[in-house]
Amino acid sequence: NAGVTQTPKFQVLKTGQSMTLQCAQDMNHEYMSWYRQDPGMGLRLIHYSVGAGITDQGEVPNGYNVSRSTTEDFPLRLLSAAPSQTSVYFCASSMDRFPYEQYFGPGTRLTVT
Amino acid sequence: DAKTTQPPSMDCAEGRAANLPCNHSTISGNEYVYWYRQIHSQGPQYIIHGLKNNETNEMASLIITEDRKSSTLILPHATLRDTAVYYCIVRVDNAGNMLTFGGGTRLMVKP
């Protein structure tokens, strides 16, 4: 199993640009979530999904969209990038039986100039 | 969800046991205690979780006090690779708003 994979690993955007961060898992996990981590801070939940076709907002959802058309994939879309979205983004997945035993991807480091 | 309190930093000598405390005095009866760690620049890694009984796995042991108001994560023989930020999280074990990570404890294992 590859586990949770994220692409790209690094990205630089200009203010106002849009992009999609990719996340995929091959463990057939029902739950997937996106977090952001700002320098020296803990993780904050952006959006999460409890299954294909079902998504919900986390703590800091503004400026981000998600969709879950398949069990495997959970892309995060930045609609119009802002410098405040400069952060490291982590995707995670877990089984419905143990929703808090989460497996995290390696992260995407995003800089918005 | 119950709030947790952890010391911001701790040191431990290599080869010795690292004991990381967590206070969760407002924990309710159906909330689990979860521990994660984050090694520099990597995604968080699940370590262990428990409800009321002590738990042990290949990575660590979790000791929960009888009143469940505090817990201790024990790394029995700390190595330099255990240097990381350790997060204590309390959650009800159902689908909900996923995990909330606080500040954690920065553990420095020294040779």
Side-chain angles (χ1 to χ4, degrees):
Chain A
N1 284 351
V4 179
T5 58
Q6 292 184 238
T7 56
K9 290 187 177 180
F10 301 93
Q11 183 69 49
V12 179
L13 290 178
K14 294 187 187 301
T15 297
Q17 288 184 317
S18 62
M19 80 159 294
T20 299
L21 307 185
Q22 300 292 343
C23 174
Q25 53 90 11
D26 61 359
M27 297 174 283
N28 202 31
H29 285 173
E30 292 85 358
Y31 295 172
M32 296 186 74
S33 50
W34 276 101
Y35 297 84
R36 61 176 286 175
Q37 186 173 34
D38 300 330
M41 305 285 286
L43 281 78
R44 291 185 293 170
L45 181 66
I46 305 172
H47 286 285
Y48 67 99
S49 168
V50 299
I54 306 169
T55 64
D56 207 345
Q57 296 181 349
E59 181 185 358
V60 288
N62 291 339
Y64 307 94
N65 273 356
V66 291
S67 61
R68 183 96 179 271
S69 56
T70 67
T71 299
E72 295 78 18
D73 301 299
F74 191 42
L76 177 73
R77 282 182 287 277
L78 279 70
L79 308 174
S80 177
S84 60
Q85 294 179 305
T86 293
S87 190
V88 180
Y89 291 83
F90 291 102
C91 179
S93 73
S94 58
M95 295 187 293
D96 64 349
R97 188 173 174 201
F98 305 107
Y100 302 118
E101 188 175 328
Q102 296 192 2
Y103 294 84
F104 283 79
T108 293
R109 283 150 184 79
L110 175 68
T111 301
V112 182
T113 61
Chain B
D1 299 322
K3 179 179 170 61
T4 61
T5 304
Q6 299 177 253
S9 64
M10 293 181 61
D11 291 343
C12 177
E14 189 179 18
R16 305 296 294 269
N19 298 287
L20 294 97
C22 180
N23 284 324
H24 31 78
S25 58
T26 60
I27 192 170
S28 60
N30 60 349
E31 288 185 305
Y32 286 72
V33 180
Y34 283 79
W35 283 85
Y36 279 76
R37 73 179 182 184
Q38 187 174 24
I39 297 170
H40 181 62
S41 298
Q42 299 181 20
Q45 177 187 24
Y46 165 82
I47 301 174
I48 197 167
H49 76 280
L51 182 63
K52 61 176 81 170
N53 297 322
N54 298 338
E55 302 287 345
T56 296
N57 63 20
E58 65 278 4
M59 289 183 65
S61 295
L62 174 60
I63 308 298
I64 303 174
T65 58
E66 192 168 345
D67 63 7
R68 302 187 71 240
K69 293 184 176 182
S70 66
S71 60
T72 301
L73 179 74
I74 301 173
L75 308 178
H77 306 287
T79 70
L80 299 179
R81 288 179 293 181
D82 292 321
T83 292
V85 178
Y86 287 78
Y87 296 98
C88 170
I89 302 165
V90 174
R91 287 293 307 202
V92 177
D93 200 19
N94 58 27
N97 207 14
M98 296 293 125
L99 292 169
T100 300
F101 288 77
T105 296
R106 185 171 298 277
L107 175 69
M108 179 73 72
V109 180
K110 298 183 176 180

